[in-house]
Amino acid sequence: MERREEQPGAAGAGAAPALDFTVENVEKALHQLYYDPNIENKNLAQKWLMQAQASPQAWHFSWQLLQPDKVPEIQYFGASALHIKISRYWSDIPTDQYESLKAQLFTQITRFASGSKIVLTRLCVALASLALSMMPDAWPCAVADMVRLFQAEDSPVDSQGRCLALLELLTVLPEEFQTSRLPQYRKSLVRTSLAVECGAVFPLLEQLLQQPSSPSCVRQKVLKCFSSWVQLEVPLQDCEALIQAAFAALQDSELFDSSVEAIVNAISQPDAQRYVNTLLKLIPLVLGLQDQLRQAVQNGDMETSHGICRIAVALGENHSRALLDQVEHWQSFLALVNMIMFCTGIPGHFPVNETTSSLTLTFWYTLQDDILSFEAEKQAVYQQVYRPVYFQLVDVLLHKAQFPSDEEYGFWSSDEKEQFRIYRVDISDTLMYVYEMLGAELLSNLYDKLGRLLTSSEEPYSWQHTEALLYGFQSIAETIDVNYSDVVPGLIGLIPRISISNVQLADTVMFTIGALSEWLADHPVMINSVLPLVLHALGNPELSISSVSTLKKICRECKYDLPPYAANIVAVSQDVLMKQIHKPNPSNKLAIVHILGLLSNLFTTLDVSHHEDDHEGPELRKLPVPQGPNPVVVVLQQVFQLIQKVLSKWLNDAQVVEAVCAIFEKSVKTLLDDFAPMVPQLCEMLGRMYSTIPQASALDLTRQLVHIFAHEPAHFPPIEALFLLVTSVTLTLFQQGPRDHPDIVDSFMQLLAQALKRKPDLFLCERLDVKAVFQCAVLALKFPEAPTVKASCGFFTELLPRCGEVEPVGKVVQEDGRILLVAVLEAIGGQASRSLMDCFADILFALNKHCFSLLSVWIKEALQAPGFPSARLSPEQKDTFSQQILRERVNKRRVKEMVKEFTLLCRGLHGTDYTADY
């Protein structure tokens, strides 16, 4: 926008010239905002207009922008600017201008009563803001005055226009109060004042809603206005007449949505539970909607059934405790509960044919909590009444959880399927909760139904019905301890009788078996009756998630009874992998990753050997040590070739490579020395994997091999070859740009540190470029990721003590140690997070302890540079720091304290509040 020269006296010396916020410039900027295709110009215009609205000139241009000859977009900006000035800059307005401002706003609202509705609303919001700022002292009867002024007969606007303008003003007033920036003490004053003023509003609303001559648009506005006012926590008894009128208006399709909103808002206000008599009067009104509800369901009118359900649930959910307390009215409340039950079981499949049933689920939690919170005698009475209701609820929920026919389900969109999945999870959670009310009888009930279904010869059962009953059982067994239940043996016996013809049913069968895995651990003789089912499912890629999840649970829970089945599990896994290997597509890849995960899990749980007592509690040490070869070794040797085949097809896939690494990482950890025969093969395989796709998981596995086997002469050659290969590949990665791979750099640094700690001879090999490794580690110190920096510091604290014993290390430290020191000082000077200072202090301590003569020269040279490592330091402070460091070669804790002090000086934080927690 144009700028103008600074006016005399307009701003202090040196201030920027005032922006020219004229009407013309505002209009130009608005045109630019709305119609300029260039997004940058739009953004500039938007920024300029925001400044304009906040400027003192806004008081002048706002009124001019409201002129009748302007287009609505311009008028709207003028009205918005007025609202911003009143709501945010109220203190700038002299008190003697309140009345003229009020009068001008009333005039404009009257004029726009027959004009643009969006402008009218903004002007009403501006007047509402003015009223809230003046109430109660400067404008004691604001609402009554508004009503009186708009009812005046001498207005040029027709009565309907005036009425709608008044209703708009009365509607936005409570809304503006809710979002206003009033100080807390003013807010409570104004709230009290508004509560009194509702006496001027409600009679008017009742009159307009009940008089036959009121047009539909006025009645709709009345309902919206009522809805807005009840959120000010108006006493429910004061709303009675309007609530009844809103119930009557539900019969008018044009007013239905507004009536529902008003009734729900009135019923749901927190204070409403105090007015029990009014609540009791509402029950017959809600029950009176049942015919309309049934008719809507019959006609497929989802909007009407949804709205009526919202009303019933609002009354039941918000006030169940208050209504249950009225024991003499138990039958009318039970009738309301049954109406909500009808809404829960509303015909059709969620979310395609209905969207109502999900609204009711929280009600059943609330009702149960309220019943169980009563003292014993009252609770027993209500348990007698409501246990049958909750058994009915279980039937209804399991019916709602049923899948549609395969044909119908095939037409559902992926979004509808996902909504249905979430809905079933909500049903599952509700069933689990209901168990607290119904107890073991619920399991017996489900088992009896499933038994009748599977053994009946009269009619063929649908897979959907079977699946839903199993889903109910699974929902409870997943979180409740069912080990004591006398129906589980029968259920385990029924499961093999299920004819699995469908993926959804198969999934639920798998998850149900998984949920019973703890019970199987206590009854291992039954494993054999369900394991074949799970292994059979393993062969179907669509069931890989559920079958693998279930097998993992069985492996974990039944580990001591698993060895007899291990060969079979591995054989099936191998067979499945063989079939999947030759189909390189995404769904098969997922199945492969899942089965590799299963094998990984199997290796951990199969090992019940002598390593157990090192890691587990004392109660496991009494277990007899199995004789013969370790079952994990046997299994691992069986699958090794298969994994090589998997890699031959999927070597370029990071997810598969990671899953393979996980298998060996777990088996190496489990087997320790027993893994020895496979070290050469694994080293060769790891080298191929890392050369193709460098991955942190491969480096972590290499680190484990170094840790366990590098010190053994027989294994040193393959481990050395692997170490040299991964180092060479990683150094190449550094040349290409390592910033995108902080995880690889982190794992590489940890590997190098482990090599130095466990087998420093790895650094003696001529093929290892120790200089390049050193320089890469210095670079890693400057990474923004804290774990990577820590790992790099860890590498240097292992490397520096080896200066004397490992000749190539001593040489590189002598040649490039100064670069390391500079990087450490830069970090301490402010380039690294303060949380990492202890790690850098460790490097300084190691340099001082193992390379003292070199450090004493380097540190003085480095700190002589002006402004290094921070411009805030004086030469004396730098000199003190270097002397302190060089003096301390024994106490590492003291060095850490020195570094902390020095970094605070470097950052200008010494002696400030920032140091309090440091």
Side-chain angles (χ1 to χ4, degrees):
M1 300 306 300
E2 300 169 26
R3 291 180 178 269
R4 66 177 181 194
E5 292 302 314
E6 185 183 337
Q7 295 174 347
L19 294 172
D20 205 358
F21 298 124
T22 62
V23 175
E24 295 75 22
N25 280 347
V26 170
E27 288 193 43
K28 278 184 203 169
L30 284 166
H31 191 275
Q32 197 170 309
L33 178 66
Y34 287 124
Y35 304 112
D36 194 319
N38 184 318
I39 193 74
E40 209 169 304
N41 290 345
K42 279 179 183 288
N43 291 339
L44 282 171
Q46 169 94 353
K47 194 175 174 184
W48 188 88
L49 286 164
M50 284 169 76
Q51 290 175 299
Q53 283 183 318
S55 72
Q57 293 94 314
W59 287 117
H60 174 66
F61 67 65
S62 296
W63 302 109
Q64 290 182 293
L65 295 175
L66 288 166
Q67 294 301 319
D69 59 331
K70 307 293 183 191
V71 294
E73 292 93 333
I74 287 173
Q75 294 171 330
Y76 179 83
F77 182 79
S80 291
L82 282 171
H83 172 240
I84 284 169
K85 295 302 289 180
I86 292 167
S87 62
R88 296 187 194 170
Y89 303 98
W90 177 251
S91 57
D92 295 350
I93 306 170
T95 49
D96 60 357
Q97 289 184 21
Y98 291 174
E99 289 304 318
S100 64
L101 182 54
K102 187 203 303 180
Q104 281 177 290
L105 283 169
F106 269 122
T107 305
Q108 291 293 347
I109 289 171
T110 306
R111 192 160 66 71
F112 276 94
S114 52
S116 165
K117 291 289 168 275
I118 59 162
V119 181
L120 172 66
T121 299
R122 288 323 288 165
L123 287 167
C124 288
V125 171
L127 181 56
S129 186
L130 179 90
L132 295 172
S133 297
M134 291 176 71
M135 289 168 75
D137 301 329
W139 194 359
C141 303
V143 179
D145 285 355
M146 291 173 189
V147 173
R148 185 175 45 75
L149 277 163
F150 279 96
Q151 285 180 325
E153 292 297 329
D154 57 352
S155 170
V157 182
D158 66 273
S159 59
Q160 185 176 316
R162 287 203 313 277
C163 182
L164 287 169
L166 171 61
L167 288 169
E168 183 64 26
L169 178 56
L170 293 175
T171 302
V172 300
L173 185 62
E175 291 168 358
E176 181 66 9
F177 172 75
Q178 304 284 13
T179 58
S180 68
R181 303 177 177 198
L182 294 171
Q184 199 52 50
Y185 78 97
R186 288 269 307 129
K187 205 147 193 169
S188 55
L189 266 178
V190 174
R191 183 190 286 282
T192 308
S193 187
L194 284 171
V196 173
E197 293 257 33
C198 81
V201 179
F202 282 16
L204 170 70
L205 299 184
E206 287 166 31
Q207 179 196 339
L208 289 170
L209 202 52
Q210 287 162 356
Q211 67 188 27
S213 59
S214 290
S216 184
C217 59
V218 169
R219 289 147 72 88
Q220 193 156 46
K221 204 77 197 132
V222 166
L223 289 162
K224 285 183 177 166
C225 184
F226 173 48
S227 197
S228 179
W229 275 81
V230 292
Q231 291 178 66
L232 291 174
E233 295 176 21
V234 179
L236 192 65
Q237 62 194 22
D238 296 351
C239 305
E240 251 183 64
L242 275 168
I243 292 174
Q244 290 185 353
F247 268 99
L250 287 167
Q251 305 305 317
D252 184 333
S253 59
E254 286 185 35
L255 302 178
F256 182 83
D257 289 346
S258 304
S259 302
V260 169
E261 213 56 50
I263 294 166
V264 168
N265 283 345
I267 291 174
S268 303
Q269 50 174 315
D271 199 40
Q273 60 192 355
R274 289 171 44 205
Y275 304 95
V276 178
N277 290 335
T278 306
L279 292 173
L280 288 169
K281 288 179 194 172
L282 293 179
I283 293 180
L285 293 175
V286 176
L287 295 175
L289 301 173
Q290 288 182 101
D291 286 344
Q292 191 180 354
L293 173 61
R294 287 195 182 89
Q295 195 67 47
V297 170
Q298 210 170 324
N299 298 338
D301 179 356
M302 284 164 70
E303 284 76 14
T304 301
S305 54
H306 194 85
I308 293 173
C309 172
R310 279 185 66 201
I311 293 170
V313 169
L315 183 57
E317 196 175 303
N318 288 293
H319 306 297
S320 67
R321 175 71 199 217
L323 293 168
L324 283 166
D325 269 327
Q326 310 306 306
V327 181
E328 65 279 16
H329 295 279
W330 70 272
Q331 285 171 307
S332 65
F333 184 61
L334 181 59
L336 176 66
V337 171
N338 284 327
M339 182 178 174
I340 296 172
M341 180 77 78
F342 176 82
C343 296
T344 304
I346 208 157
H349 287 287
F350 183 95
V352 177
N353 318 106
E354 63 91 5
T355 54
T356 297
S357 58
S358 62
L359 300 177
T360 67
L361 297 180
T362 313
F363 164 74
W364 299 108
Y365 285 75
T366 308
L367 177 62
Q368 179 177 309
D369 284 347
D370 289 337
I371 291 170
L372 297 180
S373 70
F374 285 122
E375 73 283 0
E377 193 179 335
K378 199 170 185 180
Q379 188 184 132
V381 173
Y382 274 131
Q383 283 262 18
Q384 204 174 349
V385 174
Y386 283 100
R387 272 178 74 85
V389 173
Y390 273 85
F391 273 114
Q392 185 193 345
L393 173 66
V394 171
D395 290 345
V396 166
L397 290 176
L398 291 178
H399 182 73
K400 292 297 294 181
Q402 284 188 25
F403 279 88
S405 69
D406 293 339
E407 186 183 1
E408 192 184 335
Y409 193 63
F411 285 112
W412 284 20
S413 68
S414 57
D415 186 46
E416 286 166 341
K417 287 176 180 175
E418 176 60 10
Q419 282 186 57
F420 182 59
R421 185 194 66 77
I422 293 166
Y423 174 68
R424 277 173 48 101
V425 170
D426 292 341
I427 286 177
S428 173
D429 291 344
T430 311
L431 289 169
M432 182 189 75
Y433 206 75
V434 166
Y435 181 84
E436 190 186 347
M437 178 92 146
L438 302 180
E441 199 182 335
L442 173 54
L443 294 177
S444 305
N445 183 290
L446 293 174
Y447 172 66
D448 291 345
K449 284 183 175 143
L450 188 63
R452 282 199 299 276
L453 193 68
L454 295 176
T455 55
S456 167
S457 54
E458 291 171 21
E459 53 181 286
Y461 61 86
S462 72
W463 71 261
Q464 287 92 340
H465 197 171
T466 310
E467 190 279 334
L469 284 166
L470 271 180
Y471 184 68
F473 215 108
Q474 174 211 323
S475 301
I476 296 158
E478 263 180 345
T479 45
I480 308 286
D481 179 10
V482 295
N483 286 5
Y484 66 87
S485 172
D486 54 358
V487 304
V488 177
L491 178 66
I492 295 275
L494 280 177
I495 285 175
R497 300 184 63 152
I498 297 170
S499 170
I500 300 179
S501 54
N502 169 283
V503 169
Q504 284 92 3
L505 174 58
D507 259 338
T508 304
V509 168
M510 289 302 108
F511 286 127
T512 306
I513 295 170
L516 297 171
S517 54
E518 278 187 43
W519 185 91
L520 287 169
D522 292 340
H523 307 82
V525 71
M526 301 298 280
I527 294 174
N528 204 33
S529 63
V530 289
L531 194 59
L533 272 176
V534 183
L535 292 176
H536 180 71
L538 203 60
N540 184 342
E542 290 182 285
L543 299 176
S544 68
I545 291 177
S546 58
S547 56
V548 166
S549 159
T550 298
L551 265 174
K552 280 183 177 178
K553 282 183 178 175
I554 292 173
C555 289
R556 186 174 65 242
E557 299 297 338
C558 312
K559 65 187 288 183
Y560 298 110
D561 302 290
L562 210 57
Y565 307 104
N568 202 9
I569 296 174
V570 173
V572 173
S573 301
Q574 282 181 295
D575 188 46
V576 172
L577 276 176
M578 282 302 292
K579 286 174 183 163
Q580 301 301 337
I581 286 168
H582 304 296
K583 308 174 190 169
N585 66 51
S587 70
N588 290 91
K589 181 187 93 171
L590 208 57
I592 286 172
V593 169
H594 285 140
I595 291 166
L596 289 172
L598 167 67
L599 289 170
S600 173
N601 196 267
L602 192 63
F603 296 146
T604 309
T605 54
L606 268 179
D607 183 58
V608 288
S609 65
H610 51 279
H611 305 304
E612 195 72 68
D613 56 13
D614 299 335
H615 309 293
E616 301 288 351
E619 71 281 359
L620 293 177
R621 290 180 192 162
K622 299 169 193 160
L623 290 166
V625 177
Q627 299 304 305
N630 189 313
V632 183
V633 178
V634 175
V635 171
L636 200 53
Q637 285 171 332
Q638 283 177 330
V639 297
F640 206 99
Q641 285 180 311
L642 184 64
I643 289 172
Q644 286 186 311
K645 280 183 183 165
V646 169
L647 283 175
S648 68
K649 293 279 182 185
W650 294 92
L651 194 56
N652 289 304
D653 189 284
Q655 212 178 346
V656 173
V657 166
E658 197 158 333
V660 168
C661 286
I663 285 185
F664 289 108
E665 190 178 2
K666 285 195 176 173
S667 49
V668 168
K669 270 183 186 169
T670 303
L671 293 168
L672 302 177
D673 297 340
D674 290 349
F675 189 89
M678 282 168 286
V679 168
Q681 288 170 284
L682 181 55
C683 287
E684 192 271 330
M685 184 193 285
L686 261 178
R688 273 195 300 125
M689 281 158 49
Y690 195 74
S691 303
T692 310
I693 291 193
Q695 243 179 299
S697 53
L699 289 172
D700 294 338
L701 183 48
T702 304
R703 185 176 86 246
Q704 272 196 319
L705 290 173
V706 167
H707 176 66
I708 298 167
F709 297 110
H711 64 284
E712 294 182 17
H715 298 308
F716 184 72
I719 287 177
E720 182 187 43
L722 174 61
F723 178 75
L724 292 171
L725 176 65
V726 297
T727 301
S728 168
V729 171
T730 312
L731 292 178
T732 306
L733 195 72
F734 265 91
Q735 287 167 358
Q736 295 162 351
R739 280 298 305 111
D740 296 335
H741 308 285
D743 57 331
I744 292 178
V745 176
D746 181 347
S747 293
F748 181 54
M749 292 298 139
Q750 290 187 54
L751 167 62
L752 294 171
Q754 184 68 261
L756 284 161
K757 189 188 293 183
R758 203 72 181 154
K759 191 69 175 171
D761 289 6
L762 286 166
F763 276 70
L764 288 170
C765 178
E766 289 178 5
R767 285 181 293 145
L768 182 70
D769 190 341
V770 179
K771 192 180 185 73
V773 166
F774 187 94
Q775 288 169 344
C776 289
V778 170
L779 193 61
L781 288 175
K782 301 176 183 181
F783 271 44
E785 291 82 7
T788 309
V789 176
K790 274 186 182 172
S792 310
C793 292
F795 161 67
F796 283 115
T797 52
E798 288 295 339
L799 178 107
L800 293 167
R802 305 287 185 286
C803 283
E805 63 190 77
V806 182
E807 192 267 332
V809 169
K811 187 168 182 283
V812 78
V813 169
Q814 196 146 12
E815 290 172 3
D816 291 344
R818 191 180 183 284
I819 305 169
L820 170 62
L821 176 67
V822 168
V824 169
L825 291 173
E826 280 174 348
I828 296 168
Q831 286 193 8
S833 163
R834 278 165 49 204
S835 65
L836 293 166
M837 290 305 111
D838 280 358
C839 301
F840 288 105
D842 286 344
I843 298 179
L844 276 180
F845 183 76
L847 277 168
N848 200 26
K849 191 169 183 181
H850 302 285
C851 321
F852 175 75
S853 57
L854 293 168
L855 178 65
S856 54
V857 175
W858 293 337
I859 197 165
K860 283 175 182 157
E861 282 178 5
L863 291 175
Q864 270 174 2
F868 180 85
S870 163
R872 293 187 176 93
L873 297 172
S874 67
E876 291 76 24
Q877 287 170 322
K878 292 199 267 187
D879 194 41
T880 303
F881 176 66
S882 66
Q883 284 176 22
Q884 284 178 327
I885 291 291
L886 292 168
R887 207 177 294 131
E888 191 53 78
R889 299 178 66 185
V890 178
N891 192 331
K892 192 188 283 189
R893 187 179 55 77
R894 280 286 303 123
V895 174
K896 288 181 178 179
E897 286 168 8
M898 292 169 197
V899 168
K900 282 180 182 178
E901 286 285 310
F902 192 62
T903 197
L904 291 171
L905 287 170
C906 292
R907 295 164 201 255
L909 297 175
H910 197 269
T912 69
D913 292 344
Y914 285 99
T915 63
D917 304 322
Y918 193 53

